Amino acid sequence: MIQVPEFSITRIEAYIKKGQYSKIIVLCDENTSRLCMEQLVKELPMPIERITLLPGEHSKNLENAAYIWDQLLELDADRKAVLINLGGGMITDIGGFCASSYKRGIAFINLPTTLLGMVDAAIGGKTSINIRHYKNQVGLFAFPEAVFIDPVFLGTLPKRELIAGYAEILKYGLIQETKVSQQEEDKYSDQKDLLWEYIKYEEPVNIPDWIPIIKTCVDLKEAVVAADPKEKGLRKILNYGHTIGHAIESFSLDIDEVPLLHGESIAVGMIAEAYLSYKKTGLSKEALNDISAVIIRIFGKYIFENPGYDDLIHYMHMDKKNQADEIRFVLLEKIGKALYDVPCTIKEIKESLDYYLTL
Ligand code: GLY
């Protein structure tokens, strides 16, 4: 079941006491172990065991999943144990996957420490690992028992990580107005009320209070997930920018010494997919220019070579939203309104990459 997050880590003590867990095991990476663990441990009513991974998307693999299962056994974790996932999307994805399969499922709690984790990865019940460099190929829908979101952890993030998380916030701005149910009236008669109109002017490193922005994103995600928990249809809109973005991310993991972060890759994908939206679903030229300018201002540009296009297309074919041989996209009718399952040809996709590279 979807859990409404608590917006302070101080609530965790009461929660753990109520759960009467036999053991607390914290899954962390070397960064969250160093920078966030102390803060967590002082809120907990009993001692913990810890399992530590190397940071970064490369760690979200089968070897580490086996390592976590092995460590859970080694630590004598029984079915009343709880795994607290302390970290970004890599930790909550692999931790959720391992907890929900270990002994056919033990409880897990997500404690996201990155902006991206707070607004997206830690909520909504997706858990997974990557296979080779293909993203999220093995996993299951499994909801955490609780999620605690505390912006205090954002202070531990390098600037680059914080900015990368902002990509998912921009994504919510671009899909916010999509109707969750058929009956729903148009929600935003005044364009000024749209999240996009507010966040597009912000510099992520200068935002003094994250709570209102995070809450808006979380509310939006919860409404979409409640309507379509297993991504049969509507939930796909949460993947705007991700078809091309995931391909860029896998490609970069493959070839770059310092690979792009997830959010940085999605930023590229959101521009290319805005171009496809302009070509196919009626997004205006002004909106395309607006989206491109905002994203390039915040993220700069990722330079890749045109010969890489075929690799990117190959990765796109692996995207879970596809059926048969088609590559399907979430595209925009206008800023705020998304459509899903829009097929695009290879020629159109290559044209969208050309568009990105000419910016
Ligand atoms: N990250 C997209 C989703 O949770 O559906």
Side-chain angles (χ1 to χ4, degrees):
M1 283 300 291
I2 305 167
Q3 291 301 334
V4 179
E6 296 272 9
F7 283 89
S8 171
I9 194 185
T10 55
R11 309 272 170 84
I12 201 167
E13 180 179 2
Y15 189 88
I16 294 279
K17 278 187 176 152
K18 209 169 71 194
Q20 298 188 323
Y21 299 110
S22 57
K23 194 168 277 222
I24 302 176
I25 297 132
V26 181
L27 177 70
C28 55
D29 65 30
E30 285 176 353
N31 293 333
T32 58
S33 173
R34 195 163 39 88
L35 300 168
C36 310
M37 187 66 84
E38 199 181 319
Q39 187 88 21
L40 168 62
V41 166
K42 73 175 190 245
E43 303 294 342
L44 294 174
M46 57 201 261
I48 61 138
E49 306 282 358
R50 84 174 70 180
I51 303 173
T52 310
L53 304 181
L54 289 174
E57 186 66 20
H58 277 299
S59 286
K60 206 172 92 178
N61 58 29
L62 190 55
E63 291 71 34
N64 275 333
Y67 173 70
I68 294 166
W69 288 317
D70 182 74
Q71 289 298 294
L72 289 170
L73 261 185
E74 181 74 23
L75 294 166
D76 258 338
D78 61 21
R79 284 181 117 173
K80 277 297 283 173
V82 63
L83 185 72
I84 299 182
N85 298 317
L86 179 69
M90 183 278 282
I91 288 291
T92 53
D93 276 8
I94 194 171
F97 174 64
C98 289
S100 51
S101 47
Y102 176 75
K103 293 195 192 284
R104 299 207 180 91
I106 60 168
F108 66 99
I109 292 174
N110 284 344
L111 221 162
T113 56
T114 63
L115 185 56
L116 192 139
M118 291 178 194
V119 296
D120 189 30
I123 49 174
K126 279 188 178 175
T127 73
S128 61
I129 54 170
N130 305 331
I131 302 289
R132 303 191 206 154
H133 284 164
Y134 301 115
K135 294 269 302 173
N136 303 328
Q137 294 297 309
V138 175
L140 42 102
F141 289 99
F143 288 91
E145 296 247 320
V147 182
F148 293 86
I149 295 178
D150 198 325
V152 73
F153 292 118
L154 297 179
T156 66
L157 284 185
K159 204 166 132 189
R160 184 178 167 205
E161 277 278 356
L162 188 79
I163 296 172
Y166 206 67
E168 295 287 353
I169 292 176
L170 293 169
K171 175 199 79 181
Y172 286 113
L174 293 173
I175 62 166
Q176 182 189 22
E177 217 187 345
T178 313
K179 284 185 181 153
V180 169
S181 72
Q182 291 289 327
Q183 292 75 28
E184 215 173 317
E185 295 297 318
D186 276 334
K187 285 171 280 191
Y188 302 95
S189 49
D190 190 341
Q191 286 290 302
K192 289 198 307 299
D193 295 338
L194 278 173
L195 180 65
W196 174 260
E197 288 306 317
Y198 165 66
I199 55 176
K200 74 178 185 183
Y201 297 112
E202 295 284 349
E203 290 304 331
V205 286
N206 293 336
I207 293 176
D209 179 9
W210 281 100
I211 291 272
I213 295 179
I214 294 174
K215 276 195 169 151
T216 305
C217 297
V218 168
D219 286 351
L220 190 63
K221 179 155 186 178
E222 276 172 2
V224 171
V225 173
D228 178 22
K230 295 222 166 151
E231 203 170 292
K232 301 277 184 244
L234 179 80
R235 185 170 177 165
K236 294 177 188 175
I237 67 168
L238 297 175
N239 296 316
Y240 176 69
H242 285 59
T243 304
I244 293 181
H246 272 163
I248 293 274
E249 187 177 4
S250 297
F251 176 77
S252 173
L253 274 171
D254 238 355
I255 65 158
D256 292 328
E257 203 172 312
V258 182
L260 287 184
L261 299 174
H262 175 75
E264 294 167 336
S265 315
I266 298 317
V268 179
M270 286 194 291
I271 294 180
E273 293 180 19
Y275 178 84
L276 290 173
S277 306
Y278 162 66
K279 283 285 169 180
K280 303 209 42 125
T281 51
L283 185 73
S284 69
K285 188 81 198 320
E286 296 70 47
L288 171 64
N289 292 341
D290 186 25
I291 294 168
S292 307
V294 169
I295 294 177
I296 294 288
R297 189 195 85 235
I298 297 176
F299 292 90
K301 198 164 144 190
Y302 176 57
I303 309 290
F304 53 95
E305 299 283 321
N306 179 319
Y309 281 16
D310 287 336
D311 293 341
L312 288 170
I313 303 287
H314 167 74
Y315 282 121
M316 282 175 225
H317 275 297
M318 298 300 289
D319 191 277
K320 296 179 293 306
K321 287 180 296 306
N322 293 322
Q323 281 172 13
D325 247 2
E326 273 180 354
I327 301 186
R328 292 174 169 217
F329 286 84
V330 177
L331 297 183
L332 305 174
E333 279 184 311
K334 62 176 195 166
I335 289 182
K337 233 174 200 165
L339 298 169
Y340 54 86
D341 283 342
V342 185
C344 293
T345 64
I346 304 296
K347 185 166 168 285
E348 288 164 335
I349 298 166
K350 288 187 173 174
E351 211 178 290
S352 77
L353 298 170
D354 283 343
Y355 168 77
Y356 177 82
L357 286 175
T358 55
L359 287 171

